[in-house]
Amino acid sequence: MHLFLRNFNTPTLQISCRMVSNYVSRIRHLCDLKEDEACRKALSSGTFLLFHGLSPLLQRIENKYTAPFVTASELNGILKKLGQTEKCLEESVLIGCTESLVPQFALDLGQTEKARAELLLKGKFVEFKKAFFLLEGKDSPLLSQAQALLHWHSTHLYCGRTGQPTQKNISGSKRVCGTDEIIYYPQMSPVVIMLVSDGARCLLARQKGFPPGMYSALAGFCSIGETVEESVHREVAEEVGLDVSSLVYSASQHWPFPSSTLMIGCHAMVQPKQNKNKTIGGF
């Protein structure tokens, strides 16, 4: 294959290539950090999001909430005051790195005294669902990823085949059953969420537990063996008895409730003639 680059020195191309290069550098650096020795070394220079029983640490400045990153040196001093050793850092999970390649980890301090930890860290451990909505949008995705990964590790302590304990690698990218060398990787469940429309109106639904005036788009888990398209068709048929004629993918988002899911957003169209005998959600 021949690759030809023309007018490479134009300002637009230079900026574009720098952005791509920086992204690739970060991704490759993260890949390298999944190796135990490299990750163990990075623990001494990284920064940490902190949790207690899967509740993240938040700090409030005036009316703004943030999830602060604590440096390794600061955290080691705090751990010592909490009666923990530096070895505790190996219980953390790798969640990313900054543009300057500073490793970012998440660590749960659930084995320490909560009130004492909050005092030393000058913050509060807030229940995750509440914290998720208190933070600004740019902080929520990384916090969501961190909590989901910590939660996955806490629920996969034993091998489903042998019943023996599993061991986390240093970065937290997998767990291994030493008895049978079975490897487990963190996973999330795909969920379709779709706005159903007949071209003039949109269909919204509500559950019995919803507060008055609250409505929602339709959503449901993808079944094993289904495509996204098949899941949308099935969910709409099950929930409101309508036949989807066409659909368009819109966007996706990681969603941590009730556990780690990938929300796949779609627009689904139905034929107006289907609405004649329907009273569901205003159709």
Side-chain angles (χ1 to χ4, degrees), residues 19-37:
M19 292 174 63
V20 171
S21 177
N22 185 55
Y23 175 76
V24 172
S25 296
R26 287 193 293 120
I27 294 301
R28 289 184 171 177
H29 184 58
L30 283 172
C31 187
D32 292 338
L33 288 179
K34 291 181 181 180
E35 298 297 326
D36 282 353
E37 197 57 40

Side-chain angles (χ1 to χ4, degrees), residues 1-2 12-13 15 28 32 42 51 74 76 129 155 159-160 166 175 215 224-225 229 244 271:
M1 181 179 68
H2 298 284
T12 301
L13 278 176
I15 293 173
R28 289 184 171 177
D32 292 338
F51 293 74
E74 292 172 333
N76 280 326
K129 184 173 288 187
T155 56
C159 176
T166 58
R175 297 189 73 90
Y215 293 84
I224 290 178
E229 293 82 358
V244 172
Q271 296 298 328

Side-chain angles (χ1 to χ4, degrees), residues 25-27 29-31 33-34 39 42 45-49 69 92-106 141-143 145-146 149 171:
S25 296
R26 287 193 293 120
I27 294 301
H29 184 58
L30 283 172
C31 187
L33 288 179
K34 291 181 181 180
C39 192
S45 61
T47 59
F48 296 78
L49 280 177
F69 275 94
S92 64
V93 293
L94 179 69
I95 56 173
C97 71
T98 66
E99 290 189 359
S100 56
L101 304 185
V102 176
Q104 296 171 309
F105 297 91
L142 196 58
L143 192 77
Q145 176 190 345
L149 193 52
S171 71

Side-chain angles (χ1 to χ4, degrees), residues 216-238:
S216 171
L218 302 180
F221 286 94
C222 297
S223 295
I224 290 178
E226 281 186 332
T227 63
V228 169
E229 293 82 358
E230 289 169 340
S231 295
V232 170
H233 278 265
R234 175 183 53 76
E235 283 291 339
V236 174
E238 287 179 353

Side-chain angles (χ1 to χ4, degrees), residues 75-93:
L75 184 54
N76 280 326
I78 291 170
L79 288 174
K80 187 175 181 180
K81 294 177 181 179
L82 292 172
Q84 301 294 318
T85 66
E86 189 175 341
K87 187 73 173 175
C88 176
L89 296 184
E90 293 192 6
E91 296 302 315
S92 64
V93 293

